[in-house]
Amino acid sequence: MDKLVRNFYRLLMLLSGLSMLAAFAAVTLGVFAREVIHVNIDGLDAYAGYAIAAALFFALPGTLQNGDHIRVTLLLDRLPSRWRGAFEWFCLSSALVLTAYIACYAVRSVWISYVTHDISPAADASPLWIPQISMAMGCIGFALSFAHALILRFQGVAFMAVSESARSE
């Protein structure tokens, strides 16, 4: 099961990278079209925004696993070891509850947009449920990553790697 969820995190990171490339392509195409051939492509800015948002949401679980999220360790470092463990359990449990709620909200938002045929107010007039899928997938992955972290913490295994920049701070 551990390998399956870690592969899911890798898939989301791959999708995040592809989303960044899509955002770069949309911005580059927009600049090229306006500056070189003097044509404005309607809705291209919206697609770049969708791609940037997708990149951010897809990257949430992978960056948590790699220890790249900003974590405040000032309090943890100052707590006695018996309090530190309890506080870490509290933080992971609270994060799981919060991210599960956000994931449910994101999935519900996609469903409501689909059922009501909600479209983008931008010039692209895309159905909103399509770009919202990336938000829902990223939020589901983020909640899954906190559940995974809690299970591994229960087993006594560290979930989050500490990045070089976090080690030096």
Side-chain angles (χ1 to χ4, degrees), residues 41-60:
I41 302 173
D42 291 334
L44 203 55
D45 294 338
Y47 290 127
Y50 299 150
I52 291 168
L56 294 172
F57 278 101
F58 284 145
L60 286 173

Side-chain angles (χ1 to χ4, degrees), residues 24-48:
F24 175 74
V27 170
T28 303
L29 179 61
V31 169
F32 178 79
R34 280 190 297 268
E35 297 299 323
V36 177
I37 58 177
H38 306 289
V39 174
N40 186 25
I41 302 173
D42 291 334
L44 203 55
D45 294 338
Y47 290 127

